[in-house]
Amino acid sequence: MSRFQLLSDAQWSMIADMLPRPTGRKGRPFADARTMVEAIIYRYRTGIAWRDLPEVFGPWQTVWTWHRRMAAEGTWDRVLERLTAAADEAGQIDWTVSVDSTIARAHQHATNISRHTGAGSNYTNPQTQPQTQPQNQPVPEPPDHALGRSRGGLSTKIHQLVDGRGLPLVVLLSPGQAGDSPMLLPLLQQLKVGRRLGRPRTRPDGLCGDKAYSSRAIRKHLRARGIMAHIPEPEDQKGHRLRRGSAGGRPPNFDPGAYRGRNVVERRYCHIKQWRGIATRYDKHALTYRAAVVLNAVIAWTAHLSDMP
């Protein structure tokens, strides 16, 4: 056991049985899984380079190999799926969800594009989300590595769908210059909370989003699925509707009281960015960076579930 105990025993017991097992090969001793996970957490909490990990965690190359392998196999996505299923069974998910995004500046070590500093990547497969991959199959790296250039430079945007308590349900990445509203439908498509009997739950009761998510297509999709939209109408859309008169239709329903609950997603991003390796992206590969964000979500769920009576 390392002297950096970053997980409580209750938290570790929730995820231990879902992590890689010893290979059975003779020779090198098998790395302790808890030490490896805590080393990964330590690296992203502090934002240090992998080679600067304290010696108590063992060789940094071993820690990196664990992180890269679990990211490619979608291990943390499966852990998150099991935790959310357990939370739903215990009635611990508030199904009025909120959506938003946050920007993470890309450090020069994260730049994969040939005209910038940093080694190029050979992961050029089409973008595929980990939840759609067969179990134990490697997850392809998106060709753009979820890096984009905007006025602020190279950046990545983290999109999350959180429950009414601010606990993450879905995590996706996009280039930093990408808009928020085009990512809402992919987020909802990825929402699957398993149940012991029957199909996974994929439909929330309501959705809170800021004005960036106000569009006819989004509102039509939410109405068709019976999801209550708590999205304010921007002034320009309101003006267009009023100018059309009766042809503009009725104003969309909006509950200011329910909308105030959207602050939980803002608070979630405040917690995420306490991990300095997430607040600034140092990872060249989008799948390893996203795995760290999902790991942060796993830690949030284990802390919540371990506090349950």
Side-chain angles (χ1 to χ4, degrees):
M1 179 67 65
S2 72
R3 60 188 178 88
F4 297 95
Q5 186 167 351
L6 304 178
L7 293 171
S8 68
D9 292 338
Q11 289 178 290
W12 176 248
S13 65
M14 295 181 192
I15 64 176
D17 62 334
M18 292 177 275
L19 298 182
R21 291 288 183 268
T23 60
R25 293 178 297 177
K26 297 181 179 179
R28 297 181 181 178
F30 183 74
D32 176 63
R34 182 166 183 174
T35 300
M36 294 298 101
V37 173
E38 291 184 339
I40 296 168
I41 295 172
Y42 183 88
R43 187 266 174 175
Y44 280 98
R45 280 181 57 172
T46 59
I48 60 176
W50 287 102
R51 64 180 65 251
D52 293 332
L53 277 172
E55 293 182 359
V56 69
F57 293 120
W60 69 267
Q61 296 93 334
T62 304
V63 180
W64 158 250
T65 300
W66 269 68
H67 179 51
R68 180 65 178 81
R69 181 177 60 166
M70 290 192 292
E73 294 176 352
T75 300
W76 294 121
D77 288 283
R78 292 194 293 274
V79 173
L80 183 60
E81 289 173 3
R82 184 178 298 189
L83 292 173
T84 53
D88 185 53
E89 185 175 2
Q92 292 297 310
I93 294 182
D94 183 337
W95 282 100
T96 299
V97 302
S98 297
V99 63
D100 208 348
S101 67
T102 189
I103 291 284
R105 289 290 301 275
H107 191 267
Q108 63 183 12
H109 293 169
T111 56
N112 297 311
I113 307 172
S114 58
R115 65 177 180 273
H116 299 294
T117 304
S121 171
N122 59 355
Y123 293 92
T124 56
N125 295 313
Q127 184 173 5
T128 305
Q129 300 304 334
Q131 293 91 333
T132 65
Q133 286 292 109
Q135 189 168 350
N136 297 327
Q137 292 297 315
V139 178
E141 173 77 3
D144 59 5
H145 307 285
L147 281 170
R149 180 173 290 282
S150 58
R151 291 183 181 180
L154 290 173
S155 59
T156 294
K157 187 174 282 189
I158 304 171
H159 304 264
Q160 283 200 331
L161 200 66
V162 305
D163 82 331
R165 296 181 174 87
L167 295 167
L169 298 171
V170 184
V171 176
L172 295 181
L173 299 183
S174 73
Q177 83 281 5
D180 288 351
S181 59
M183 293 299 294
L184 177 57
L185 298 187
L187 284 166
L188 290 172
Q189 290 170 0
Q190 297 294 328
L191 178 60
K192 292 181 177 65
V193 175
R195 291 179 168 178
R196 185 173 299 180
L197 297 175
R199 301 176 183 176
R201 177 162 182 174
T202 60
R203 186 179 65 84
D205 296 328
L207 183 139
C208 298
D210 60 22
K211 294 180 181 180
Y213 298 95
S214 178
S215 72
R216 289 187 179 181
I218 287 175
R219 294 186 186 276
K220 180 179 179 180
H221 177 84
L222 297 178
R223 281 196 303 270
R225 297 188 60 191
I227 302 171
M228 182 66 68
H230 305 296
I231 303 173
E233 187 181 24
E235 292 300 321
D236 61 336
Q237 294 181 13
K238 186 183 299 184
H240 295 328
R241 177 175 52 79
L242 293 175
R243 280 193 295 272
R244 296 179 64 192
S246 60
R250 298 178 180 178
N253 293 326
F254 178 65
D255 184 353
Y259 179 71
R260 281 194 287 269
R262 195 190 69 86
N263 70 87
V264 296
V265 69
E266 305 287 358
R267 299 206 306 267
R268 167 49 31 196
Y269 285 128
C270 289
H271 287 295
I272 286 176
K273 290 195 171 182
Q274 294 297 313
W275 285 22
R276 298 169 68 88
I278 293 178
T280 300
R281 174 176 168 176
Y282 298 97
D283 297 88
K284 294 186 190 304
H285 299 149
L287 67 93
T288 54
Y289 180 69
R290 181 185 175 277
V293 182
V294 179
L295 173 57
N296 183 280
V298 167
I299 300 305
W301 275 108
T302 56
H304 175 71
L305 294 174
S306 63
D307 290 339
M308 290 171 51

